[in-house]
Amino acid sequence: MDLYSWRNLGVSTALTFNWFYFGEIVNNTIVAKKLAYDRHFTFEQNLDYFRLNFGNFWGMLKLPGDFNPLTILLLIFELLCFIYLVRQREKRNYFLWMIFIFGWVKQLIFLSQKSLFDWYYWVPQILLFVPVLIFVLEQKVKRNLWLALLIVVYIIPMLAFQTIHSIATGNGEWNYRRTIGTFLNQYEKDKNQWIFLEPAGYVPYFSGLKTIDEVGLVDKKVQEEIKKDKPNFWINTIKNRKPKYLLSYDDLFISKDAEYLKAHYKLIKEFRVKDHLKSDNKILEKIYILKPSGTDYNLYEKID
């Protein structure tokens, strides 16, 4: 098969999967997020977002803060390895160019759309690192030194970060957000009641309640509200749908819609990340404190 045949096969496979799995060619996740997060930024704001992405989400080796010099060094080394390999004019260059172009296109799309989730970048990052692996493995002189440097400088730090990141994120989801869901599950016996929140995940799943999420991933009626009046879609959804519960990052009683919310809802519980950082295992506790995962929430219940 030639390049165009492989390309057409890949695109048709992806679209076919979307149709059978999601029931639509372009899955609702993309449509909803594009609609909810689409904003007009100034040139300065775009640069600021790029800096934030570049430091925190783009690099394979993470450091605290927005600017990460390791990302630049690794990027330069990847480019040098790629140039070195393609100059050899071997048959594998075809595949190197494929993964290089795909990796860069995918990363640039995510960066341009301000995707603030580091797992979006894992696949293109790994693909762009392939030339480094090939370069090191093909070394004839001081090959063991190159391998040792690869392991010490890259693999061990990456695994250490990913281990800490995964443990901390797991605590934030399972030991924190899940407990919000289990609290609601016990508190509300009528599972036909609705909760309006963001994001739709552990909380609504373990609560057993019907869910309206603020982006419209699981409820397309929210998308219609955004299309009609984006600045006021949130309060309009509450007024029209009248969910029994609201779960919010913010103190809603000091928001611009405080008057309406105070008249129709009451605060029943506050959930705080700091209350879920303890563990009988001291090593886990240190990781939880080092990298707290989650967001403080306030839970409100309808009173009329």
Side-chain angles (χ1 to χ4, degrees):
M1 295 176 66
D2 58 17
L3 175 62
Y4 297 104
S5 298
W6 282 109
R7 180 196 64 185
N8 294 335
L9 177 62
V11 172
S12 60
T13 300
L15 295 180
T16 301
F17 173 83
N18 280 357
W19 178 257
F20 284 105
Y21 188 81
F22 298 109
E24 46 203 354
I25 296 295
V26 179
N27 54 296
N28 185 56
T29 301
I30 297 174
V31 175
K33 288 187 175 181
K34 177 64 177 175
L35 187 63
Y37 299 148
D38 189 26
R39 301 174 186 172
H40 297 289
F41 289 90
T42 64
F43 180 74
E44 184 178 354
Q45 288 173 321
N46 278 313
L47 284 180
D48 193 53
Y49 256 93
F50 176 78
R51 178 182 57 81
L52 178 65
N53 268 335
F54 190 80
N56 287 305
F57 304 102
W58 198 13
M60 298 181 77
L61 299 176
K62 313 290 185 181
L63 287 178
D66 294 339
F67 179 74
N68 185 350
L70 288 179
T71 299
I72 298 176
L73 293 175
L74 185 60
L75 177 63
I76 293 173
F77 190 53
E78 287 175 350
L79 288 171
L80 290 175
C81 289
F82 174 77
I83 294 170
Y84 172 82
L85 292 174
V86 296
R87 283 171 61 89
Q88 296 178 4
R89 300 182 182 279
E90 296 187 12
K91 291 183 178 180
R92 68 178 175 202
N93 287 4
Y94 172 78
F95 298 100
L96 285 174
W97 274 109
M98 282 180 59
I99 62 176
F100 182 81
I101 294 172
F102 177 81
W104 268 107
V105 168
K106 195 163 187 177
Q107 286 205 132
L108 289 173
I109 290 174
F110 290 150
L111 285 169
S112 68
Q113 297 303 308
K114 304 169 182 62
S115 302
L116 301 182
F117 302 98
D118 56 0
W119 55 85
Y120 282 21
Y121 300 88
W122 286 348
V123 171
Q125 285 171 349
I126 291 172
L127 291 177
L128 292 175
F129 197 74
V130 168
V132 176
L133 295 177
I134 296 175
F135 173 80
V136 171
L137 293 175
E138 289 190 348
Q139 291 302 304
K140 299 296 190 294
V141 180
K142 297 183 178 180
R143 184 170 181 268
N144 290 338
L145 175 61
W146 280 103
L147 285 172
L149 288 172
L150 178 68
I151 293 170
V152 172
V153 175
Y154 169 72
I155 293 178
I156 291 177
M158 186 192 72
L159 288 176
F161 167 80
Q162 194 57 53
T163 299
I164 292 172
H165 176 73
S166 298
I167 292 172
T169 302
N171 177 63
E173 296 297 333
W174 187 257
N175 295 330
Y176 177 50
R177 283 196 175 97
R178 181 181 63 90
T179 59
I180 302 175
T182 55
F183 168 81
L184 277 163
N185 188 282
Q186 296 173 357
Y187 184 85
E188 178 56 67
K189 303 305 180 183
D190 182 2
K191 302 309 176 186
N192 287 317
Q193 296 296 336
W194 291 84
I195 182 171
F196 188 28
L197 80 167
E198 169 62 22
Y202 270 65
V203 175
Y205 178 82
F206 284 98
S207 73
L209 300 176
K210 293 184 176 181
T211 304
I212 309 169
D213 70 291
E214 295 179 13
V215 178
L217 297 179
V218 299
D219 192 313
K220 291 187 177 182
K221 292 181 181 179
V222 172
Q223 296 178 31
E224 297 303 317
E225 292 289 352
I226 294 174
K227 291 175 183 177
K228 286 189 293 185
D229 184 5
K230 188 170 185 177
N232 300 301
F233 86 92
W234 186 83
I235 191 64
N236 289 341
T237 298
I238 293 173
K239 290 179 178 179
N240 294 333
R241 307 283 295 279
K242 297 179 173 55
K244 185 172 182 179
Y245 297 98
L246 305 176
L247 186 66
S248 176
Y249 304 134
D250 304 316
D251 181 351
L252 298 182
F253 291 163
I254 60 172
S255 67
K256 68 174 185 176
D257 302 304
E259 183 178 353
Y260 176 87
L261 294 168
K262 285 180 180 179
H264 297 278
Y265 287 88
K266 65 178 180 179
L267 177 67
I268 60 172
K269 191 170 179 62
E270 297 177 340
F271 298 93
R272 299 293 179 258
V273 175
K274 63 181 178 62
D275 298 330
H276 294 79
L277 302 179
K278 296 187 180 298
S279 173
D280 294 334
N281 187 307
K282 294 303 177 183
I283 296 177
L284 291 179
E285 185 171 308
K286 288 182 182 297
I287 293 175
Y288 297 161
I289 295 173
L290 175 67
K291 195 176 185 299
S293 178
T295 308
D296 293 341
Y297 287 103
N298 297 315
L299 180 63
Y300 301 84
E301 182 180 7
K302 201 170 186 299
I303 55 179
D304 63 351

